[in-house]
Amino acid sequence: QAQLVESGGGSVQTGGSLRLSCAVSGLTLADYYMGWFRQAPGKEREAISCISRSGQNTYYIDAIKGRFSISRDNAGNTVHLQMARLGPEDTDKYYCATDPGSCGPAWMNSGRYIVWGQGTQVTVSS
């Protein structure tokens, strides 16, 4: 059974950095596109990044471009989200998920993802 487990969240001050990890088990990571989402209480889950199976192609929403970087280690069964220059607006619970089928235009549709992690909380204080 496929399982995703996020880690690396925490509390930082504005301008700080965090590196989130998503440990994957029960499937061959290299066969799947991966996405990162975030969600605040009472708000819809928001897609923020997608990475192709090889890791060669990455996609970001405008709000995080230039600050966040998604990467993957298929041999190590891990996907990462490096976050820098964090601000209070980045305070959310962050989730990894698979598989949107591609990182094409529909990658931001959460309904395309079938396996989700439990999330890791990121809190940025001003």
Side-chain angles (χ1 to χ4, degrees):
Q1 185 174 355
Q3 187 176 16
L4 309 179
V5 179
E6 301 92 338
S7 62
S11 298
V12 296
Q13 292 189 327
T14 295
S17 300
L18 284 172
R19 188 185 195 213
L20 305 185
S21 296
C22 173
V24 179
S25 61
L27 54 82
T28 302
L29 181 58
D31 292 341
Y32 294 89
Y33 293 82
M34 297 293 296
W36 281 96
F37 287 72
R38 63 186 183 185
Q39 186 174 26
K43 293 189 177 181
E44 287 191 8
R45 194 166 292 188
E46 175 188 38
I48 61 172
S49 185
C50 185
I51 187 167
S52 62
R53 288 176 292 189
S54 68
Q56 188 171 6
N57 297 307
T58 57
Y59 302 82
Y60 305 92
I61 60 170
D62 287 345
I64 65 168
K65 276 181 184 175
R67 300 190 298 123
F68 291 14
S69 177
I70 189 172
S71 62
R72 64 192 295 158
D73 175 3
N74 287 339
N77 293 321
T78 308
V79 180
H80 299 287
L81 186 68
Q82 180 69 48
M83 306 188 296
R85 303 200 307 276
L86 287 162
E89 68 277 10
D90 297 312
T91 294
D92 277 316
K93 196 165 188 179
Y94 285 71
Y95 300 85
C96 62
T98 191
D99 167 49
S102 75
C103 288
W107 72 265
M108 289 186 278
N109 180 356
S110 63
R112 293 179 64 90
Y113 296 76
I114 57 174
V115 184
W116 293 82
Q118 83 291 346
T120 186
Q121 180 67 39
V122 172
T123 302
V124 185
S125 58
S126 57

